[in-house]
Coordinates of all heavy atoms in Angstrom, one line a residue:
M14 N -18.0 64.8 9.2 CA -17.4 63.5 9.7 C -16.9 62.8 8.5 O -17.3 62.8 7.5 CB -18.5 62.6 10.3 CG -18.9 63.1 11.6 SD -20.2 61.9 12.1 CE -19.8 61.2 13.5
S15 N -15.8 62.3 8.8 CA -14.9 61.5 7.7 C -15.3 60.0 7.9 O -15.5 59.5 9.0 CB -13.6 61.8 7.8 OG -13.0 61.4 8.9
S16 N -15.3 59.3 6.9 CA -15.6 57.9 6.9 C -14.3 57.2 7.5 O -13.1 57.7 7.3 CB -15.9 57.3 5.6 OG -14.9 57.6 4.7
P17 N -14.6 56.1 8.2 CA -13.5 55.4 8.7 C -12.4 54.9 7.6 O -12.9 54.6 6.6 CB -14.1 54.3 9.6 CG -15.3 54.1 9.0 CD -15.8 55.3 8.4
A18 N -11.2 54.8 7.9 CA -10.3 54.4 7.0 C -10.4 53.0 6.8 O -10.7 52.1 7.6 CB -8.8 54.9 7.5
A19 N -10.3 52.5 5.4 CA -10.3 51.2 5.1 C -9.1 50.5 5.6 O -8.0 51.1 5.6 CB -10.5 51.1 3.5
P20 N -9.3 49.2 6.0 CA -8.1 48.5 6.4 C -7.0 48.2 5.3 O -7.5 48.3 4.2 CB -8.6 47.2 7.0 CG -10.0 47.1 6.3 CD -10.5 48.4 6.1
P21 N -5.8 48.2 5.7 CA -4.8 48.1 4.7 C -5.1 46.7 3.9 O -5.4 45.8 4.5 CB -3.5 48.1 5.4 CG -3.8 47.9 6.7 CD -5.2 48.3 6.9
R22 N -4.8 46.7 2.5 CA -4.9 45.6 1.7 C -3.9 44.7 1.8 O -2.7 45.1 1.9 CB -5.2 45.9 0.3 CG -6.4 46.7 -0.1 CD -6.6 46.9 -1.5 NE -6.8 45.7 -2.3 CZ -7.2 45.6 -3.4 NH1 -7.4 46.6 -4.1 NH2 -7.4 44.4 -3.9
R23 N -4.3 43.5 2.2 CA -3.2 42.5 2.3 C -2.7 42.0 0.9 O -3.5 41.9 0.1 CB -3.6 41.2 3.0 CG -3.9 41.4 4.4 CD -4.2 40.1 5.1 NE -4.8 40.2 6.3 CZ -5.5 39.1 7.0 NH1 -5.2 38.0 6.5 NH2 -6.1 39.4 8.2
A24 N -1.5 41.6 0.9 CA -1.0 41.1 -0.3 C -1.6 39.7 -0.5 O -1.7 38.9 0.3 CB 0.6 40.9 -0.3
R25 N -2.1 39.5 -1.6 CA -2.8 38.1 -2.0 C -1.8 37.1 -2.1 O -0.8 37.2 -2.8 CB -3.6 38.2 -3.3 CG -4.9 38.7 -3.3 CD -5.6 38.4 -4.6 NE -7.0 38.5 -4.4 CZ -7.9 38.4 -5.3 NH1 -7.5 38.4 -6.6 NH2 -9.2 38.4 -5.1
K26 N -2.1 36.1 -1.3 CA -1.2 34.9 -1.4 C -1.7 34.0 -2.7 O -2.9 34.0 -3.1 CB -1.5 34.0 -0.2 CG -0.8 34.6 1.0 CD -0.9 33.6 2.2 CE -0.2 34.1 3.4 NZ -0.1 33.2 4.6
R27 N -0.8 33.5 -3.3 CA -1.0 32.6 -4.4 C -1.6 31.4 -4.0 O -1.3 30.8 -2.9 CB 0.2 32.2 -5.2 CG 0.8 33.5 -5.9 CD 2.2 33.1 -6.5 NE 2.2 31.8 -7.1 CZ 3.4 31.4 -7.6 NH1 4.5 32.1 -7.6 NH2 3.4 30.1 -8.1
D28 N -2.6 30.9 -4.7 CA -3.2 29.6 -4.3 C -2.2 28.4 -4.5 O -2.0 28.1 -5.6 CB -4.4 29.5 -5.2 CG -5.3 28.2 -4.7 OD1 -5.1 27.8 -3.6 OD2 -6.1 27.7 -5.5
T29 N -1.7 27.8 -3.4 CA -0.9 26.7 -3.7 C -1.5 25.4 -3.3 O -0.9 24.4 -3.3 CB 0.2 26.9 -2.6 OG1 -0.5 27.0 -1.3 CG2 1.1 28.2 -2.8
T30 N -2.9 25.3 -3.3 CA -3.7 24.2 -3.1 C -3.3 23.1 -4.2 O -3.2 22.0 -3.9 CB -5.0 24.5 -2.9 OG1 -5.3 25.4 -2.0 CG2 -6.0 23.2 -2.5
A31 N -3.5 23.6 -5.5 CA -3.3 22.7 -6.6 C -1.8 22.2 -6.5 O -1.7 21.0 -6.8 CB -3.4 23.5 -7.8
R32 N -0.8 22.9 -6.3 CA 0.5 22.4 -6.2 C 0.7 21.4 -5.1 O 1.2 20.4 -5.3 CB 1.5 23.6 -6.0 CG 2.9 23.1 -6.1 CD 3.9 24.3 -6.1 NE 3.8 24.9 -4.8 CZ 4.1 26.2 -4.5 NH1 4.5 26.9 -5.5 NH2 4.0 26.6 -3.4
H33 N 0.2 21.6 -3.9 CA 0.3 20.7 -2.8 C -0.7 19.4 -3.0 O -0.2 18.3 -2.7 CB -0.2 21.3 -1.4 CG 0.8 22.3 -1.0 ND1 2.2 22.1 -0.9 CD2 0.7 23.6 -0.9 CE1 2.8 23.2 -0.3 NE2 2.0 24.2 -0.5
G34 N -1.7 19.6 -3.7 CA -2.6 18.4 -4.1 C -1.9 17.5 -5.0 O -2.0 16.3 -4.8
G35 N -1.2 18.1 -5.9 CA -0.4 17.2 -6.9 C 0.7 16.5 -6.2 O 0.8 15.3 -6.5
R36 N 1.3 17.1 -5.3 CA 2.4 16.5 -4.6 C 1.9 15.5 -3.7 O 2.5 14.4 -3.6 CB 3.2 17.6 -3.8 CG 4.4 17.2 -3.2 CD 5.1 18.3 -2.3 NE 5.4 19.4 -3.3 CZ 5.7 20.5 -2.8 NH1 5.8 20.8 -1.4 NH2 5.9 21.5 -3.6
L37 N 0.8 15.6 -3.1 CA 0.1 14.6 -2.2 C -0.2 13.5 -3.1 O -0.1 12.2 -2.6 CB -1.0 15.1 -1.5 CG -1.7 14.1 -0.5 CD1 -0.8 13.7 0.6 CD2 -3.0 14.9 0.1
K38 N -0.9 13.7 -4.2 CA -1.4 12.6 -5.0 C -0.2 11.8 -5.5 O -0.2 10.5 -5.4 CB -2.1 13.0 -6.2 CG -3.5 13.6 -5.9 CD -4.2 14.2 -7.2 CE -5.4 14.8 -6.8 NZ -6.1 15.4 -8.0
R39 N 0.9 12.4 -5.8 CA 2.1 11.7 -6.2 C 2.6 10.8 -5.2 O 3.1 9.6 -5.3 CB 3.2 12.6 -6.8 CG 4.3 11.9 -7.4 CD 5.3 12.9 -8.2 NE 5.6 14.1 -7.4 CZ 5.2 15.4 -7.8 NH1 4.6 15.5 -8.8 NH2 5.5 16.5 -7.0
R40 N 2.7 11.4 -3.8 CA 3.3 10.7 -2.8 C 2.5 9.5 -2.4 O 3.0 8.4 -2.2 CB 3.3 11.6 -1.6 CG 4.1 11.2 -0.4 CD 4.2 12.3 0.5 NE 5.3 12.0 1.6 CZ 5.6 12.7 2.5 NH1 5.0 13.9 2.5 NH2 6.5 12.2 3.3
V41 N 1.1 9.6 -2.5 CA 0.1 8.5 -2.2 C 0.3 7.4 -3.3 O 0.4 6.2 -3.0 CB -1.3 9.0 -2.1 CG1 -2.2 7.8 -2.2 CG2 -1.5 9.8 -1.0
A42 N 0.5 7.9 -4.6 CA 0.6 7.0 -5.7 C 2.0 6.0 -5.6 O 2.0 4.8 -5.8 CB 0.6 7.6 -7.1
V43 N 3.1 6.7 -5.2 CA 4.3 6.1 -5.0 C 4.2 5.2 -3.7 O 4.7 4.0 -3.8 CB 5.4 7.2 -4.7 CG1 6.7 6.5 -4.3 CG2 5.7 7.9 -6.1
T44 N 3.6 5.4 -2.8 CA 3.4 4.6 -1.6 C 2.7 3.4 -1.8 O 3.2 2.2 -1.6 CB 2.8 5.4 -0.5 OG1 3.5 6.6 -0.1 CG2 2.6 4.5 0.9
I45 N 1.5 3.5 -2.6 CA 0.7 2.5 -3.0 C 1.5 1.5 -3.9 O 1.5 0.2 -3.8 CB -0.6 2.8 -3.6 CG1 -1.3 3.5 -2.5 CG2 -1.3 1.7 -4.2 CD1 -2.7 4.1 -3.1
A46 N 2.3 2.1 -4.8 CA 3.1 1.2 -5.8 C 4.1 0.4 -4.9 O 4.4 -0.8 -5.4 CB 3.6 2.2 -6.9
A47 N 4.9 1.1 -4.1 CA 5.7 0.6 -3.3 C 5.2 -0.7 -2.6 O 5.8 -1.8 -2.5 CB 6.6 1.4 -2.4
K48 N 4.1 -0.5 -1.8 CA 3.4 -1.6 -1.2 C 3.0 -2.8 -2.1 O 3.3 -3.9 -1.7 CB 2.2 -1.2 -0.4 CG 2.5 -0.3 0.6 CD 1.3 0.3 1.4 CE 1.6 1.0 2.6 NZ 0.5 1.4 3.5
L49 N 2.6 -2.5 -3.3 CA 2.3 -3.6 -4.3 C 3.4 -4.3 -4.6 O 3.4 -5.6 -4.8 CB 1.5 -2.9 -5.5 CG 0.2 -2.4 -5.3 CD1 -0.5 -1.8 -6.4 CD2 -0.8 -3.6 -4.9
V50 N 4.6 -3.6 -5.0 CA 5.8 -4.3 -5.2 C 6.3 -5.2 -4.0 O 6.6 -6.4 -4.3 CB 6.9 -3.3 -5.7 CG1 8.3 -3.9 -5.6 CG2 6.6 -2.5 -6.8
L51 N 6.1 -4.7 -2.8 CA 6.5 -5.5 -1.7 C 5.6 -6.6 -1.5 O 6.2 -7.8 -1.2 CB 6.6 -4.6 -0.4 CG 7.0 -5.4 0.9 CD1 8.4 -5.7 0.8 CD2 6.8 -4.3 2.1
L52 N 4.4 -6.5 -1.5 CA 3.4 -7.7 -1.4 C 3.8 -8.7 -2.6 O 3.6 -9.9 -2.3 CB 2.0 -7.1 -1.5 CG 1.5 -6.5 -0.2 CD1 0.2 -5.8 -0.5 CD2 1.5 -7.4 1.0
T53 N 3.9 -8.3 -3.7 CA 4.2 -9.2 -4.9 C 5.6 -10.0 -4.6 O 5.6 -11.3 -4.8 CB 4.3 -8.5 -6.2 OG1 3.1 -7.8 -6.4 CG2 4.5 -9.5 -7.3
F54 N 6.5 -9.4 -4.1 CA 7.8 -10.0 -3.6 C 7.6 -10.9 -2.6 O 8.0 -12.0 -2.7 CB 8.8 -8.9 -3.4 CG 10.1 -9.5 -2.8 CD1 11.0 -10.0 -3.7 CD2 10.3 -9.5 -1.5 CE1 12.2 -10.7 -3.3 CE2 11.5 -10.0 -1.0 CZ 12.5 -10.6 -1.9
L55 N 6.8 -10.6 -1.6 CA 6.6 -11.5 -0.5 C 5.8 -12.8 -0.9 O 6.0 -13.8 -0.6 CB 5.8 -10.8 0.5 CG 6.7 -9.8 1.4 CD1 5.8 -9.1 2.4 CD2 7.8 -10.5 2.2
Y56 N 4.8 -12.6 -1.8 CA 3.9 -13.6 -2.3 C 5.0 -14.6 -3.1 O 5.0 -15.8 -3.0 CB 3.0 -13.2 -3.3 CG 2.2 -14.3 -4.0 CD1 1.3 -15.1 -3.4 CD2 2.4 -14.6 -5.4 CE1 0.7 -16.2 -3.9 CE2 1.9 -15.5 -6.0 CZ 1.0 -16.4 -5.3 OH 0.4 -17.4 -6.0
L57 N 5.8 -14.1 -4.0 CA 6.6 -14.9 -4.8 C 7.6 -15.7 -4.0 O 7.9 -16.8 -4.2 CB 7.3 -14.1 -5.9 CG 6.4 -13.5 -6.9 CD1 7.2 -12.6 -7.9 CD2 5.7 -14.6 -7.7
M58 N 8.1 -15.0 -2.9 CA 9.2 -15.6 -2.0 C 8.6 -16.7 -1.0 O 9.3 -17.7 -0.8 CB 9.9 -14.6 -1.2 CG 10.8 -13.6 -1.9 SD 12.0 -14.6 -3.0 CE 12.9 -15.3 -1.8
F59 N 7.3 -16.7 -0.7 CA 7.0 -17.5 0.6 C 5.6 -18.1 0.1 O 5.3 -19.1 0.8 CB 6.6 -16.7 1.7 CG 8.0 -16.1 2.3 CD1 8.2 -14.7 2.1 CD2 9.0 -16.8 2.8 CE1 9.3 -14.1 2.6 CE2 10.1 -16.4 3.3 CZ 10.3 -14.9 3.2
F60 N 4.7 -17.7 -0.6 CA 3.5 -18.2 -0.9 C 3.0 -18.7 -2.3 O 2.0 -19.1 -2.6 CB 2.3 -17.2 -0.4 CG 2.5 -16.7 1.0 CD1 3.0 -15.4 1.3 CD2 2.1 -17.6 2.0 CE1 3.1 -15.0 2.7 CE2 2.2 -17.1 3.3 CZ 2.8 -15.8 3.6
S61 N 4.0 -18.7 -3.0 CA 3.7 -19.0 -4.4 C 3.5 -20.6 -4.5 O 4.0 -21.3 -3.6 CB 4.7 -18.7 -5.4 OG 6.0 -19.3 -5.1
P62 N 2.9 -21.1 -5.5 CA 2.7 -22.6 -5.6 C 3.9 -23.4 -5.6 O 3.8 -24.5 -5.3 CB 2.0 -22.6 -7.0 CG 1.2 -21.4 -7.2 CD 2.2 -20.3 -6.6
S63 N 4.9 -22.8 -6.1 CA 6.3 -23.7 -6.0 C 6.8 -24.0 -4.7 O 7.5 -24.8 -4.6 CB 7.3 -22.9 -6.9 OG 7.6 -21.6 -6.2
H64 N 6.2 -23.2 -3.6 CA 6.7 -23.4 -2.3 C 5.7 -24.3 -1.6 O 6.0 -24.4 -0.4 CB 7.0 -22.1 -1.6 CG 8.1 -21.4 -2.1 ND1 7.8 -20.3 -3.0 CD2 9.3 -21.3 -1.9 CE1 9.0 -19.8 -3.4 NE2 10.0 -20.4 -2.7
R65 N 4.8 -24.7 -2.1 CA 3.6 -25.6 -1.5 C 4.0 -27.1 -1.5 O 4.4 -27.6 -2.6 CB 2.3 -25.3 -2.0 CG 1.8 -23.8 -1.8 CD 0.6 -23.8 -2.4 NE 0.3 -22.4 -2.3 CZ -0.6 -21.7 -3.1 NH1 -1.3 -22.3 -4.0 NH2 -0.8 -20.5 -3.0
P66 N 4.0 -27.8 -0.5 CA 4.3 -29.2 -0.5 C 3.2 -30.0 -1.3 O 2.0 -29.6 -1.3 CB 4.3 -29.6 1.0 CG 3.4 -28.6 1.7 CD 3.5 -27.4 0.9
R67 N 3.7 -31.1 -1.9 CA 2.7 -31.9 -2.5 C 2.0 -32.8 -1.5 O 2.6 -33.4 -0.7 CB 3.3 -32.8 -3.5 CG 3.9 -32.0 -4.7 CD 4.6 -32.9 -5.7 NE 5.2 -32.2 -6.7 CZ 4.7 -31.9 -8.0 NH1 3.4 -32.4 -8.3 NH2 5.4 -31.2 -8.9
I68 N 0.7 -32.8 -1.6 CA 0.0 -33.7 -0.7 C -1.0 -34.6 -1.5 O -1.8 -34.2 -2.2 CB -1.1 -32.8 0.3 CG1 0.0 -31.8 1.1 CG2 -1.9 -33.7 1.1 CD1 -0.9 -30.9 1.9
D69 N -0.8 -35.8 -1.2 CA -1.8 -36.8 -1.9 C -2.5 -37.6 -0.9 O -2.4 -37.4 0.3 CB -0.8 -37.8 -2.7 CG 0.2 -38.5 -1.9 OD1 0.4 -38.2 -0.8 OD2 0.8 -39.4 -2.4
D70 N -3.5 -38.4 -1.4 CA -4.3 -39.2 -0.5 C -3.6 -40.1 0.4 O -4.0 -40.3 1.5 CB -5.3 -40.0 -1.4 CG -6.3 -38.9 -2.2 OD1 -6.5 -37.9 -1.7 OD2 -6.8 -39.4 -3.1
A71 N -2.6 -40.7 -0.1 CA -1.9 -41.7 0.7 C -1.2 -40.9 1.9 O -1.1 -41.5 3.0 CB -0.8 -42.4 -0.1
A72 N -0.5 -39.8 1.6 CA 0.1 -39.0 2.7 C -1.0 -38.6 3.8 O -0.7 -38.7 5.0 CB 0.7 -37.7 2.2
V73 N -2.2 -38.2 3.3 CA -3.2 -37.8 4.3 C -3.6 -39.0 5.2 O -3.8 -38.9 6.3 CB -4.4 -37.2 3.5 CG1 -5.6 -37.0 4.5 CG2 -4.1 -35.9 2.9
D74 N -3.8 -40.1 4.6 CA -4.1 -41.3 5.3 C -3.2 -41.7 6.2 O -3.5 -42.0 7.3 CB -4.4 -42.5 4.3 CG -5.6 -42.4 3.5 OD1 -6.6 -41.7 4.1 OD2 -5.8 -43.2 2.4
R75 N -1.9 -41.6 5.9 CA -0.8 -41.9 6.9 C -0.8 -41.0 8.1 O -0.5 -41.4 9.2 CB 0.6 -41.8 6.2 CG 0.9 -43.1 5.2 CD 2.3 -43.1 4.9 NE 2.8 -41.8 4.2 CZ 2.9 -41.7 3.0 NH1 2.3 -42.5 2.2 NH2 3.2 -40.4 2.5
H76 N -1.2 -39.7 7.9 CA -1.2 -38.8 8.9 C -2.4 -38.9 9.9 O -2.3 -38.7 11.1 CB -1.0 -37.4 8.5 CG 0.4 -37.1 8.0 ND1 1.4 -36.9 8.9 CD2 0.9 -36.9 6.8 CE1 2.5 -36.6 8.2 NE2 2.3 -36.6 7.0
L77 N -3.6 -39.2 9.2 CA -4.8 -39.3 10.0 C -5.0 -40.6 10.7 O -5.6 -40.7 11.7 CB -5.9 -38.9 9.1 CG -5.9 -37.5 8.5 CD1 -7.2 -37.2 7.6 CD2 -6.0 -36.5 9.8
I78 N -4.6 -41.7 10.0 CA -4.9 -43.1 10.4 C -3.5 -43.8 10.4 O -3.1 -44.5 9.6 CB -5.8 -43.7 9.5 CG1 -7.1 -43.0 9.3 CG2 -6.2 -45.2 10.1 CD1 -8.0 -43.6 8.3
P79 N -2.8 -43.6 11.6 CA -1.4 -44.3 11.7 C -1.7 -45.8 11.8 O -2.6 -46.2 12.5 CB -0.9 -43.6 12.8 CG -1.9 -43.0 13.6 CD -3.1 -42.7 12.7
T80 N -0.8 -46.6 11.2 CA -0.8 -48.0 11.2 C -0.1 -48.3 12.6 O 0.8 -47.7 12.9 CB -0.2 -48.6 10.1 OG1 1.1 -48.2 9.9 CG2 -1.1 -48.4 8.8
R81 N -0.5 -49.5 13.1 CA 0.1 -49.9 14.5 C 1.2 -50.9 14.2 O 1.3 -51.7 13.4 CB -0.8 -50.4 15.4 CG -1.8 -49.3 15.8 CD -2.9 -50.0 16.5 NE -4.0 -48.9 16.7 CZ -4.6 -48.7 17.7 NH1 -4.4 -49.3 18.9 NH2 -5.6 -47.8 17.7

């Protein structure tokens, strides 16, 4: 009796995990950086202290206790 034939050897694929992992890390880093830039821009345009109204005690009194 002869032994069964060994299955044909497949060509080994190169391990591309490291290459794709690096590409994914770079893509995530660029996305996070872009979001930080956008959030900083929005803060400076709409929420920075220079855009806040000045509120003093007299203004609060006028709004809460109107004179007749």
Side-chain angles (χ1 to χ4, degrees):
M14 286 179 122
S15 66
S16 62
R22 294 183 67 165
R23 289 189 201 173
R25 268 190 161 174
K26 289 187 177 181
R27 290 177 32 193
D28 185 20
T29 59
T30 306
R32 184 174 64 204
H33 291 298
R36 193 178 297 166
L37 178 63
K38 287 179 186 176
R39 184 171 47 246
R40 193 173 197 179
V41 169
V43 167
T44 303
I45 290 173
K48 287 183 177 186
L49 286 174
V50 167
L51 181 63
L52 286 173
T53 302
F54 175 75
L55 289 173
Y56 172 78
L57 292 174
M58 290 303 296
F59 299 107
F60 301 105
S61 65
S63 65
H64 292 97
R65 295 181 187 150
R67 293 183 186 259
I68 299 176
D69 58 349
D70 294 336
V73 173
D74 285 340
R75 281 193 306 267
H76 285 289
L77 294 179
I78 307 170
T80 57
R81 295 173 195 222

